[in-house]
């Protein structure tokens, strides 16, 4: 089972800070979404609102067509795992937290949870508070995965995990997704590492939705143009230039958008070198560049 | 495995074409499923599916409903013809441009090529 997500003019304000501002989302269920944005862009606030943890200040959220805030029918089908994994109390042994999750979550899979305890090498008898940072994250991820919630969201749930554990995390998300399609949203700063498993990418910037696009579409959006500075300047005139670098007489300009056949021919005729732009670089420039 | 830039589905399609061209994947041989491919390379299944759809459209592979995907019997030949055309523009022309920049006479290149080609290769 999967859940779709719709928001209209969604706003979340804390006192005088607007964390989420006029966000319209229409996300079909059954896909893996990547949520990107710089620190303070509003990712955590958006996810908390989608999960029904917070009431929108304005606008609406519908999950599977239903309002989510204080709607138990929907919230039991949603699992949001945060980086500081609020899955239980620090004094609780992991086995107690798992028993609680089994009671609270209708779609909980105990066998899978057991399997993951072994795979992530987590100690059942230890308390949550006694775990290392990476182990706490792994346990949070385990709860999210074993919840088998039709809408499962990981808010930087990988923080503190070592590289092999992060890989295990991504592998499990994919395996689960293939075996039992559900809607996943992963917020992350590890763009190059995690983006290959996304089908679509959402970019938040200063509380607003900057873009929502298929990963591969986005990857093909950036073009770098390299050559003698004056020729590059002429070529990119009128195009959306995200950034420029100069090395002596050579210039590299990053252009956003798809170049037509004519432009490609012109570039070749002028001896300009065209190349792709890495997603992370594209992200940096779309969200204001290096300041 | 994948470079971090161009669309992943295109890179997958190119890889499989390369395998067909080199004979690693033979005519009517089954190729990995999209889900196997996705798990193996840690990519979204929809991305893998897009690559396979492109290969079906280009008649490199064909689908057998409920069984899987297989290499089209004529694919290798067709790919060879396409790549032969591109060989001169994509491989030879840049090489000649580089040779010109380095002031290497064409005669030297021809001599080297003759030295490298076995008698049996001459067609």
């Amino acid at each position: 089972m999967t859940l779709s997500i719709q928001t209209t003019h969604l706003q979340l304000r804390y006192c005088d800070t607007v964390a989420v501002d006029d966000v319209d989302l229409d996300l079909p269920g059954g896909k893996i979404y990547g949520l990107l944005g710089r620190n303070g862009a509003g990712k955590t606030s958006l996810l908390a609102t989608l999960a029904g943890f917070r009431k929108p200040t304005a606008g609406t959220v519908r999950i599977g067509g239903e309002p989510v805030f204080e709607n138990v029918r929907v919230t039991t089908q949603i699992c949001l795992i945060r980086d500081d994994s609020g899955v239980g109390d620090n004094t609780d042994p992991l086995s107690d937290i798992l028993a609680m999750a089994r009671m609270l979550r209708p779609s909980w899979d105990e066998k899978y949870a057991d399997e993951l305890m072994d795979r992530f090498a987590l100690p059942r008898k230890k308390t949550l508070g006694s775990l290392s940072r990476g182990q706490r994250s792994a346990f949070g991820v385990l709860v999210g995965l074993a919840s088998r919630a039709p809408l499962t969201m990981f808010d930087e749930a990988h923080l503190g995990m070592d590289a092999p554990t992060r890989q295990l995390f991504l592998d499990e998300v994919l395996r689960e997704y293939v075996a039992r399609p559900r809607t996943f949203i992963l917020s992350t700063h590890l763009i190059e590492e995690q983006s290959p498993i996304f089908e679509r990418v959402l970019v938040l910037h200063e509380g607003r939705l900057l873009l929502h696009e298929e990963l591969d579409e986005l990857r093909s959006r950036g073009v770098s143009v390299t050559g003698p500075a004056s020729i590059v300047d002429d070529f990119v005139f009128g195009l959306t230039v995200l950034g420029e670098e100069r090395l002596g007489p050579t210039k590299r300009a990053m252009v956003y958008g798809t170049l037509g056949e004519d432009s490609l021919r012109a570039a070749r005729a002028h001896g300009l070198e065209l190349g792709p732009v890495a997603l992370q670089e594209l992200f940096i420039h779309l969200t204001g560049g290096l300041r | 495995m994948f470079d971090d830039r161009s669309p992943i589905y295109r890179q997958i399609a190119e890889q499989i074409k390369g395998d067909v061209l080199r004979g690693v994947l033979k005519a009517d041989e089954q190729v990995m499923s999209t889900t196997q491919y996705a798990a193996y390379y840690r990519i979204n299944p929809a991305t893998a599916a897009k690559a396979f759809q492109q290969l079906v459209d280009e008649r490199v592979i064909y689908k057998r409903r409920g069984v899987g995907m297989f290499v089209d019997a004529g694919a290798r030949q067709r790919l060879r013809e396409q790549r032969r055309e591109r060989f001169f523009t994509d491989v030879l022309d840049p090489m000649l441009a580089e040779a010109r920049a380095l002031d290497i006479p064409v005669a030297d290149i021809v001599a080297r090529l003759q030295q490298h080609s076995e008698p049996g290769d001459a067609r």
Side-chain angles (χ1 to χ4, degrees):
Chain A
M1 208 201 138
T2 70
L3 283 175
S4 64
I5 297 165
Q6 279 92 28
T7 70
T8 49
H9 303 299
L10 179 65
Q11 193 194 59
L12 185 69
R13 217 168 31 207
Y14 313 105
C15 303
D16 54 353
T17 310
V18 182
V20 177
D21 193 10
D22 200 23
V23 169
D24 290 320
L25 284 179
D26 187 4
L27 310 182
K31 294 184 189 297
I32 304 177
Y33 295 92
L35 178 61
L36 310 181
R38 302 182 71 144
N39 296 322
K43 302 184 295 295
T44 297
S45 299
L46 176 65
L47 294 180
T49 320
L50 296 182
F53 289 4
R54 286 188 175 277
K55 191 176 182 212
T57 315
T60 59
V61 181
R62 285 178 177 270
I63 305 293
E66 288 199 50
V68 62
F69 190 70
E70 290 182 342
N71 181 352
V72 183
R73 210 171 40 235
V74 180
T75 51
T76 48
Q77 299 183 58
I78 300 174
C79 185
L80 168 60
I81 301 296
R82 307 214 225 189
D83 66 331
D84 51 6
S85 72
V87 290
D89 284 335
N90 274 339
T91 50
D92 290 340
L94 302 191
S95 52
D96 287 7
I97 300 173
L98 293 176
M100 190 68 118
R102 184 172 64 230
M103 268 163 42
L104 293 176
R105 301 201 161 274
S107 49
W108 182 259
D109 187 322
E110 195 175 0
K111 207 171 138 253
Y112 184 42
D114 272 342
E115 233 179 274
L116 288 173
M117 285 297 280
D118 293 338
R119 220 168 287 163
F120 283 115
L122 290 165
R124 286 177 174 74
K125 287 182 185 135
K126 282 205 177 167
T127 61
L128 187 61
S130 69
L131 300 184
S132 72
R133 184 69 230 254
Q135 282 178 314
R136 286 171 72 95
S137 291
F139 186 66
V141 160
L142 174 151
V143 171
L145 287 166
S147 77
R148 295 226 155 114
L151 171 58
T152 304
M153 299 183 277
F154 293 111
D155 187 7
E156 285 201 81
H158 58 268
L159 283 191
M161 284 183 181
D162 57 19
T165 312
R166 291 202 306 271
Q167 204 153 78
L168 193 58
F169 165 43
L170 294 184
D171 283 351
E172 282 304 321
V173 170
L174 265 184
R175 227 164 59 113
E176 265 296 286
Y177 175 69
V178 167
R180 291 174 192 76
R182 51 172 141 157
T183 310
F184 278 107
I185 304 181
L186 279 73
S187 87
T188 185
H189 293 297
L190 300 179
I191 298 177
E192 298 303 336
E193 179 174 304
Q194 299 194 348
S195 67
I197 78 159
F198 304 153
E199 181 169 344
R200 292 194 191 177
V201 175
L202 308 165
V203 178
L204 273 188
H205 187 51
E206 293 171 351
R208 290 174 173 264
L209 183 69
L210 192 67
L211 61 88
H212 166 203
E213 201 141 12
E214 267 189 40
L215 172 80
D216 258 354
E217 277 303 310
L218 188 56
R219 284 169 78 104
S220 59
R221 275 300 159 76
V223 184
S224 76
V225 184
T226 312
S230 63
I231 301 179
V232 170
D233 284 340
D234 287 346
F235 181 80
V236 301
F237 182 78
L239 302 173
T240 310
V241 178
L242 294 176
E244 295 178 338
E245 288 166 347
R246 266 194 89 139
L247 187 65
T250 304
K251 190 171 196 172
R252 176 172 176 260
M254 244 172 294
V255 175
Y256 185 67
T258 317
L259 294 179
E261 273 303 313
D262 289 349
S263 302
L264 294 175
R265 250 197 307 277
R268 274 194 291 268
H270 286 100
L272 294 174
E273 209 178 292
L274 298 182
V277 178
L279 189 61
Q280 175 154 310
E281 213 173 348
L282 208 55
F283 169 80
I284 289 170
H285 290 285
L286 283 170
T287 56
L290 301 166
R291 282 184 289 222
Chain B
M1 176 60 219
F2 297 105
D3 73 45
D4 55 0
R5 295 154 174 235
S6 57
I8 299 171
Y9 82 92
R10 228 179 279 159
Q11 297 183 51
I12 297 173
E14 282 307 310
Q15 255 171 41
I16 293 175
K17 282 188 204 170
D19 284 349
V20 171
L21 203 56
R22 285 188 301 275
V24 178
L25 281 170
K26 297 191 172 53
D28 298 309
E29 194 176 317
Q30 187 162 13
V31 294
M32 273 199 276
S33 71
T34 49
T35 52
Q36 283 171 322
Y37 219 94
Y40 189 80
Y41 291 111
R42 297 198 173 86
I43 56 169
N44 192 285
T47 308
K50 207 165 156 190
F52 284 106
Q53 190 51 52
Q54 186 193 325
L55 292 170
V56 169
D57 292 344
E58 294 178 7
R59 287 164 58 213
V60 176
I61 57 175
Y62 62 92
K63 272 183 204 165
R64 259 196 243 153
R65 216 167 280 275
V67 190
M69 283 169 295
F70 299 82
V71 178
D72 190 285
R76 191 177 187 193
Q77 192 52 37
R78 272 196 298 277
L79 286 171
R80 270 191 173 158
E81 279 159 21
Q82 287 165 14
R83 297 279 172 110
R84 270 183 201 146
E85 284 168 28
R86 274 170 38 193
F87 175 78
F88 291 95
T89 52
D90 290 7
V91 180
L92 207 59
D93 292 352
M95 186 199 79
L96 286 172
E98 173 83 3
R100 246 194 308 274
L102 298 174
D103 229 355
I104 299 175
V106 173
D108 286 10
I109 301 171
V110 173
R112 176 81 165 200
L113 288 174
Q114 277 167 343
Q115 196 186 321
H116 269 265
S117 60
E118 307 282 325
D121 275 359
R123 267 177 265 186

